[in-house]
Amino acid sequence: MTTKTNAHAKPVRRRSVMAGAAAAGGGFTFGFNVPFFGAHAQAAAPEINAWVVIRPDDKVVIRIARSEMGQGTETGLAQLVAEELECDWSKVTTEYPTPTQNLARQRIWRNFSTGGSRGVRESNEYVRQGGAAARDMLVRAAAAEWKVKPEECSVDKGVITHKATNRKLTYGKVAAAAAKLDPPKEIKLKDPKDWKIAGKPLKRLDTLDKLTGKQIYGIDLRLPGMLTATIKDAPVFGAKVVSFDADRVKSMPGVKGVVKVGDTAVAVIAETYWTARNALAALPVVWEETANSKVSSATIAATLKEGLDAAEAFVGNKAGDAKAAIAGAAKKIEAVYSYPYQHHVTMEPMNATALFTPDKCEVWCPTQNGEAALAATADASGLPAAKCEVYKMLLGGGFGRRGRTDYVRQAVLIAKQMPGVPIKLIWSREEDMTHCQYHPVTMCKLVGGLNDKGDLVGLHVRISGQSILSSVLPQNLVNGMDPVQFQGFAASGVEAAYGYNVPNLLVDHAMRNPHVPPGFWRGVNTNQNAVYMECFMDELAAAAGQDPLEFRRKMLKPKWLAVLNAAAAKAGYGKPLPKGHFHGIAQIMGYGSYVAGVAEVSVSDAGVLKIHKITAATDCGHVVNPAQIERQVAGSFVYGLTALLYGEITIKDGAVEQTNFDSYNMMRIDEMPKVETVLVPSGGFWGGVGEPTIAVAAPAVLNAIAKATGKRIRSLPLMHHDLKKA
Amino acid sequence: MPALTVNGKVHQVTVDPRTPLLWVLRDTIGLTGTKYGCGVAQCGACTVHIDGVATRSCQVPLSQVTGNKKIVTVEGLATNGVLNKVQRAWLAQDVPQCGYCQSGMIMAAVALLKDKPKPTDADIDAAMTNICRCGTYQQVRAAIHEAAKA
């Protein structure tokens, strides 16, 4: 049933044959394959196990459950499988299983969710086991054909050899027989020091089509008979539609429908996006007035400010008696910081395509969470999940935004009103800018006490502001507390523990939740928590009359210190810099990894900032692809520095004021510092790399600015500050 | 019927002449390599060449480019299946992450190198104003310098 394709959707160069595995029933997709419900094998090849398919021509298809959105997880996970499989890397392609297939096979591919830098760190073990099990089965199949013991056979690059008789067989020749064998009962994984494919700076698998225009993203999808919709949701979040005057636009040429979507949104369906967009712009819509219509950035700030001194707060980390220690300290230092709302701004605006009939519902969408997209599809369509299918398209950026399913739900609700017609919903950039789940807003008051030797004897960190979990995953709150709020401040654990030994410590959170929907944004709460802690650490060092690095060295635990030392050594911290250049440092633990950065900046007499270089060290335990980690580190800095320089979503009359890049600026190449990445993997654990380093960029730069100008900046973005020397 | 020349091929197009070239390319002709990112000529994802000049197609109405204008999109850069030197440098440097902005980046870089075959870092800063949210700028710069040596 692959006949429903069209000339455009038919790929010129397929990266994987559609539905390579007969056993799984089809629907696999990666790259720009455009699959359809019920599609079945074009070229049946045996599935050795859920992770590995080997074709008769020795091509190896590795299944990837996590979503590729630029972070390189497709390549990294494939390296891990290929390493254990001992296949020929040049013959590797990949494909996505669909969420419905995962459901049907009792979640054999486990978690599809792609966020929290967890692709490699949480699935490395079972995908490696998948590769190792497949290798074992392939070798046993060859041994059986030769009537020899498997132990007498060796394998290299997908060729099995029986040395004693000098016989050879390729994986493709024994794949069919191997597929019929039982999986091994015990699987021994390689020691990472023996890796040949994993751990190497291999090129990404998915580059070529991105250079020629062939790569199909969700927004590029074209299906026969497809119409395009665009949508306008309530400017004030959650406000219901009172009325809209469809008659004003439905006779415009090319307009096919004007529909209400849920309680709060209206969409126009048309032959093309441009037609839909123009009709929607001309459509009069009235929304209800709500209490939220009076909310502004100023009212939100007032609420947060009140929380800084509120009596009640959730305690995230506590040691000794911080308040008493500060009261008895020789010197008391206090500062208030703030961090505004941020928008993800994926380059590809939100989109999803849905085809609804009373019997089934199919969705094609870029998503970081295929299983959540499937659940949203089932819920919005009213059909059981088994009758729904979600085909994951390559994401034009994710950064946390596409872990949510609001746009998927909308697409299904629209398609449901025009059964049998595939409808592609595309958000305008303006809709996207004003309907995100924003990086939340917080303020932070820090109070530190120094003894007469300049040692930090007491520290109170009071965070006031918005919780993400209370909105997104309230079931994950712990007695009302949002543990994610304390990223980088946690008392212990492998995720985001606090690195300083402070004898008397209190980190607490006064939760204040404005109506603006919050969400996970690359690095999440490590972003502002690193600014708060690491900038204040420099303020404490200055008050103690000590160098910021030496001040930290007295308190940092070994793994945190090692990474900071590695960054400082590589950057030449403490050595002479060009005239007018200054270093600033920062460190944090996040997503299971230890990271540190040294920023080198200068500020001209006119107050113009130049970030010359950031040297960044990462200890992520094991390195799967150093070249891709370097790209993630540099990329994370662009994201973090954009927030530092320009990022601020403001609220007026309950709605977001920014509408596009002309009012929400982005860092370009001319502001890009040179980024030098230092990898110091210490082994024994698996940390993430997509997010952790983002957090150190802003505080390292702010600390360098303070040295350069004497000005301590405590609120973002920098565009609001005059950096002329104090 | 207005004729539009894209990648050397003439297309007869009947849509509203006010329609931006971006949407004619994507929705009418079916060339989706040119991307929608902002619609207000800020991000550069929709960059194409119009008579050799890098232009943001979201702000160019169809009426301005019919007739003798020659439009080249990212799909038209390779000749007879051989990648352009900029595409080759992009491949060698493993530039793209999500890749969505890269069509526009590449079109801007090709135009820059035509204008300045050996661009300095300052030339790159001035010409490459495209937005990349994955943050590939360091790789983009390296790839442009590599292409300049080719």
Side-chain angles (χ1 to χ4, degrees):
Chain A
M1 287 292 295
T2 56
T3 51
K4 280 200 300 180
T5 190
N6 66 19
H8 182 70
K10 196 176 284 175
V12 180
R13 185 184 74 84
R14 287 190 174 238
R15 295 195 45 253
S16 63
V17 170
M18 190 186 298
F28 290 89
T29 166
F30 217 95
F32 61 95
N33 288 326
V34 180
F36 298 90
F37 202 82
H40 54 82
Q42 289 190 328
E47 174 186 291
I48 310 299
N49 60 32
W51 302 100
V52 176
V53 175
I54 294 181
R55 298 204 206 118
D57 65 356
D58 294 325
K59 283 266 165 28
V60 176
V61 182
I62 293 174
R63 303 253 177 77
I64 306 291
R66 310 283 182 172
S67 297
E68 177 58 48
M69 50 187 168
Q71 84 281 38
T73 208
E74 174 203 11
T75 304
L77 290 170
Q79 283 178 264
L80 289 169
V81 175
E83 178 65 53
E84 296 291 343
L85 182 59
E86 294 279 7
C87 64
D88 182 348
W89 180 251
S90 71
K91 293 188 165 63
V92 167
T93 58
T94 62
E95 65 184 14
Y96 283 146
T98 72
T100 303
Q101 287 162 350
N102 202 31
L103 198 64
R105 298 179 70 180
Q106 289 78 47
R107 292 190 91 220
I108 195 166
W109 291 284
R110 306 204 196 188
N111 194 355
F112 277 33
S113 174
T114 312
S117 300
R118 65 167 72 93
V120 165
R121 71 181 171 122
E122 286 187 7
S123 40
N124 72 82
E125 188 169 359
Y126 57 79
V127 305
R128 285 186 293 151
Q129 286 169 345
R135 179 194 64 215
D136 181 87
M137 292 156 76
L138 288 156
V139 170
R140 276 191 280 139
E145 183 162 334
W146 292 326
K147 299 186 172 55
V148 301
K149 288 180 181 165
E151 305 86 84
E152 295 169 12
C153 302
S154 62
V155 57
D156 181 46
K157 294 198 175 91
V159 181
I160 306 158
T161 301
H162 184 245
K163 205 177 171 191
T165 57
N166 198 26
R167 282 181 289 184
K168 289 179 190 296
L169 277 171
T170 66
Y171 276 0
K173 298 287 184 293
V174 296
K180 296 183 184 114
L181 299 176
D182 289 332
K185 289 190 179 62
E186 278 182 41
I187 297 169
K188 188 173 180 296
L189 297 178
K190 289 183 184 180
D191 188 320
K193 72 174 164 45
D194 299 324
W195 283 351
K196 292 172 288 193
I197 297 170
K200 306 301 174 204
L202 302 183
K203 296 258 177 73
R204 297 175 61 109
L205 291 168
D206 57 348
T207 298
L208 184 60
D209 290 345
K210 293 173 178 173
L211 310 178
T212 59
K214 281 182 187 167
Q215 177 67 57
I216 299 293
Y217 297 80
I219 201 169
D220 302 327
L221 186 72
R222 286 159 64 94
L223 301 176
M226 187 182 82
L227 297 175
T228 301
T230 193
I231 195 162
K232 199 187 266 183
D233 202 348
V236 179
F237 304 99
K240 290 178 178 159
V241 172
V242 175
S243 65
F244 59 99
D245 189 358
D247 291 342
R248 290 275 288 275
V249 303
K250 69 183 182 192
S251 60
M252 290 168 72
V255 171
K256 299 292 185 183
V258 182
V259 297
K260 196 172 160 193
V261 186
D263 292 330
T264 62
V266 180
V268 171
I269 305 163
E271 285 174 354
T272 65
Y273 173 75
W274 191 247
T275 304
R277 178 244 187 225
N278 288 338
L280 186 65
L283 179 69
V285 187
V286 176
W287 282 275
E288 65 176 349
E289 285 280 316
T290 72
N292 293 330
S293 309
K294 294 185 176 67
V295 175
S296 68
S297 288
T299 64
I300 292 170
T303 306
L304 267 53
K305 208 169 168 213
E306 175 274 322
L308 291 175
D309 297 306
E312 286 188 25
F314 296 109
V315 175
N317 193 353
K318 190 176 188 304
D321 187 338
K323 286 177 182 171
I326 292 163
K331 202 170 189 180
K332 181 180 156 185
I333 298 95
E334 182 176 316
V336 173
Y337 285 76
S338 65
Y339 196 95
Y341 283 115
Q342 303 289 334
H343 193 294
H344 304 77
V345 212
T346 58
M347 287 307 295
E348 178 195 27
M350 295 304 111
N351 67 87
T353 301
L355 171 57
F356 174 88
T357 69
D359 301 323
K360 67 186 182 197
C361 186
E362 293 171 271
V363 165
W364 296 256
C365 66
T367 175
Q368 289 176 241
N369 192 339
E371 292 176 297
L374 176 64
T377 300
D379 189 54
S381 67
L383 293 168
K387 290 190 170 187
C388 299
E389 190 56 283
V390 169
Y391 309 109
K392 297 198 294 181
M393 308 297 291
L394 182 73
L395 288 74
F399 315 119
R401 177 64 182 89
R402 287 188 161 111
R404 311 303 303 281
T405 56
D406 48 337
Y407 57 99
V408 176
R409 178 177 298 276
Q410 288 176 347
V412 173
L413 291 175
I414 294 167
K416 211 176 164 181
Q417 299 182 60
M418 213 175 264
V421 179
I423 296 177
K424 175 165 70 177
L425 168 67
I426 299 177
W427 286 20
S428 67
R429 176 58 69 195
E430 290 77 10
E431 181 69 13
D432 189 85
M433 195 65 80
T434 51
H435 294 88
C436 188
Q437 283 90 29
Y438 302 85
H439 177 80
V441 65
T442 53
M443 286 186 183
C444 185
K445 180 188 268 191
L446 302 105
V447 188
L450 300 171
N451 66 16
D452 53 9
K453 284 183 277 195
D455 300 325
L456 180 62
V457 292
L459 176 66
H460 180 198
V461 179
R462 163 59 65 85
I463 300 162
S464 172
Q466 194 163 7
S467 150
I468 301 171
L469 291 193
S470 63
S471 169
V472 176
L473 291 164
Q475 65 272 30
N476 288 10
L477 295 174
V478 180
N479 297 321
M481 183 178 86
D482 179 350
V484 178
Q485 200 82 46
F486 300 101
Q487 279 183 304
F489 282 120
S492 60
V494 298
E495 181 74 19
Y498 190 56
Y500 295 104
N501 285 309
V502 181
N504 298 286
L505 175 72
L506 176 62
V507 186
D508 55 9
H509 172 223
M511 194 187 290
R512 298 291 182 272
N513 293 331
H515 78 294
V516 179
F520 300 112
W521 185 96
R522 192 177 192 174
V524 191
N525 292 316
T526 63
N527 285 287
Q528 75 274 12
N529 287 349
V531 168
Y532 300 157
M533 189 66 253
E534 290 303 294
C535 289
F536 190 66
M537 203 47 85
D538 263 40
E539 294 202 58
L540 291 168
Q546 297 176 22
D547 175 81
L549 178 58
E550 293 306 322
F551 186 71
R552 284 173 172 81
R553 278 175 172 162
K554 292 189 296 181
M555 292 182 282
L556 276 175
K557 297 169 186 172
K559 278 197 187 297
W560 290 255
L561 178 61
V563 173
L564 181 59
N565 280 339
K570 190 74 177 180
Y573 184 90
K575 292 180 182 159
L577 286 170
K579 192 171 180 297
H581 288 215
F582 296 87
H583 271 157
I585 60 173
Q587 67 76 36
I588 196 169
M589 179 194 182
Y591 305 93
S593 290
Y594 305 83
V595 296
V598 180
E600 180 184 336
V601 317
S602 62
V603 180
S604 74
D605 291 341
V608 178
L609 169 71
K610 170 85 178 163
I611 307 167
H612 298 277
K613 184 178 177 183
I614 303 182
T615 307
T618 298
D619 178 1
C620 50
H622 294 288
V623 167
V624 174
N625 187 322
Q628 301 313 323
I629 294 177
E630 281 179 23
R631 284 158 177 75
Q632 285 304 295
V633 171
S636 79
F637 287 166
V638 174
Y639 215 74
L641 293 176
T642 294
L644 173 71
L645 298 174
Y646 304 112
E648 181 186 40
I649 290 291
T650 57
I651 307 298
K652 188 183 176 191
D653 300 331
V656 167
E657 290 192 279
Q658 291 69 28
T659 56
N660 207 319
F661 293 118
D662 47 6
S663 47
Y664 192 71
N665 199 6
M666 298 284 123
M667 180 177 158
R668 264 77 162 189
I669 202 170
D670 62 333
E671 293 176 308
M672 178 74 192
K674 182 177 181 338
V675 174
E676 186 167 11
T677 302
V678 188
L679 297 177
V680 285
S682 60
F685 67 98
W686 292 77
V689 296
E691 293 172 274
T693 47
I694 187 174
V696 297
V701 169
L702 287 169
N703 286 338
I705 289 172
K707 280 201 210 166
T709 65
K711 285 186 174 176
R712 174 50 65 183
I713 308 292
R714 299 191 183 92
S715 68
L716 273 59
L718 280 175
M719 66 177 178
H720 294 320
H721 295 277
D722 177 3
L723 294 185
K724 283 197 212 66
K725 287 182 181 60
Chain B
M1 195 182 292
L4 187 67
T5 307
V6 182
N7 302 332
K9 195 174 161 193
V10 180
H11 300 262
Q12 305 298 327
V13 286
T14 54
V15 299
D16 184 335
R18 292 169 297 184
T19 308
L21 174 60
L22 167 66
W23 294 106
V24 177
L25 291 170
R26 290 180 57 81
D27 281 355
T28 309
I29 296 176
L31 292 173
T32 54
T34 306
K35 301 302 187 198
Y36 167 59
C38 69
V40 293
Q42 287 281 317
C43 78
C46 67
T47 304
V48 300
H49 296 167
I50 300 175
D51 289 341
V53 178
T55 308
R56 293 181 178 182
S57 62
C58 70
Q59 289 292 301
V60 178
L62 174 63
S63 59
Q64 284 183 15
V65 287
T66 46
N68 295 328
K69 301 275 188 193
K70 286 185 174 56
I71 295 152
V72 176
T73 71
V74 70
E75 290 94 340
L77 280 187
T79 45
N80 302 322
V82 178
L83 297 181
N84 176 291
K85 69 176 180 180
V86 173
Q87 292 169 309
R88 290 200 301 274
W90 245 248
L91 196 58
Q93 289 289 337
D94 218 11
V95 174
Q97 290 186 29
C98 89
Y100 193 82
C101 73
Q102 299 295 335
S103 299
M105 283 279 185
I106 288 168
M107 297 309 286
V110 170
L112 166 64
L113 288 167
K114 199 174 122 227
D115 195 31
K116 294 189 166 132
K118 303 284 174 198
T120 63
D121 279 338
D123 292 333
I124 293 170
D125 287 347
M128 300 297 293
T129 56
N130 303 48
I131 296 172
C132 171
R133 288 292 280 159
C134 296
T136 60
Y137 298 136
Q138 186 152 292
Q139 248 56 47
V140 166
R141 187 184 300 281
I144 292 173
H145 285 309
E146 178 165 330
K149 287 181 204 141

